[in-house]
Amino acid sequence: SIFFGSMFVPVKSFETHDGFFVQWVMGCAIFVVGLIVNVIEEFPPFYPLAMLGGVLWATGNVTAIPIVNTIGMGLGILIWCFTSLVFGWASGRFGWFNTTPQIPASDTLNYLGMFFALISTLMFFFIKPEKTKHDKVHFKEEKNKDK
């Protein structure tokens, strides 16, 4: 998780329009890394149901660039991570998605942790970002001046 969201740092410097090209490049890179891992692991069995998770993840990634361009990288990644936190907590705590519920030793600490996560997320919405002029790189076709 050290590099989570780091792809948005260089992407923020370029005009991304709707983000589909960025997502295509990212998908190709993920495919190549997956292929290398499959070779290293000597081609383990393939589980088609796992593709559903990949489809949902890819659908979320398609929305990432427009969201970052609209509300900013900090707030966009905060909402993404908080949503992941809530669904991960709820699926483990209550047994969503056909998992075995894991009852914590202390319900008080369990709910208190989620409460603090919610409060800190809500506090982030009160931070006013500074407006800085950031020039994006635009690629334009140059016409041959010699002709």
Side-chain angles (χ1 to χ4, degrees):
S1 68
I2 293 172
F3 296 112
F4 180 75
S6 62
M7 73 159 255
F8 296 113
V9 175
V11 165
K12 196 71 176 152
S13 299
F14 296 92
E15 187 61 48
T16 55
H17 303 288
D18 61 2
F20 274 96
F21 178 74
V22 173
Q23 296 305 319
W24 178 73
V25 170
M26 188 175 93
C28 290
I30 291 168
F31 175 75
V32 168
V33 169
L35 190 61
I36 292 169
V37 169
N38 261 336
V39 169
I40 291 170
E41 293 291 323
E42 298 175 352
F43 299 99
F46 176 72
Y47 300 99
L49 186 59
M51 289 189 305
L52 178 62
V55 166
L56 293 174
W57 182 68
T59 303
N61 273 340
V62 166
T63 64
I65 299 296
I67 288 172
V68 166
N69 286 339
T70 304
I71 64 175
M73 187 171 12
L75 192 56
I77 291 179
L78 172 78
I79 293 170
W80 185 297
C81 290
F82 182 72
T83 305
S84 296
L85 172 84
V86 169
F87 276 91
W89 170 80
S91 64
R93 174 69 176 88
F94 302 113
W96 289 1
F97 309 112
N98 202 23
T99 60
T100 305
Q102 297 178 359
I103 308 302
S106 171
D107 276 337
T108 304
L109 289 177
N110 187 258
Y111 289 111
L112 194 61
M114 282 307 296
F115 174 74
F116 282 131
L118 175 66
I119 294 301
S120 51
T121 299
L122 292 175
M123 289 173 61
F124 195 90
F125 284 100
F126 293 108
I127 297 173
K128 301 290 183 211
E130 288 185 21
K131 298 289 182 185
T132 59
K133 183 175 177 167
H134 183 70
D135 294 327
K136 292 190 173 217
V137 177
H138 298 274
F139 292 102
K140 295 181 182 177
E141 184 178 329
E142 292 186 23
K143 296 181 179 179
N144 192 350
K145 296 178 182 178
D146 294 338
K147 291 184 180 181

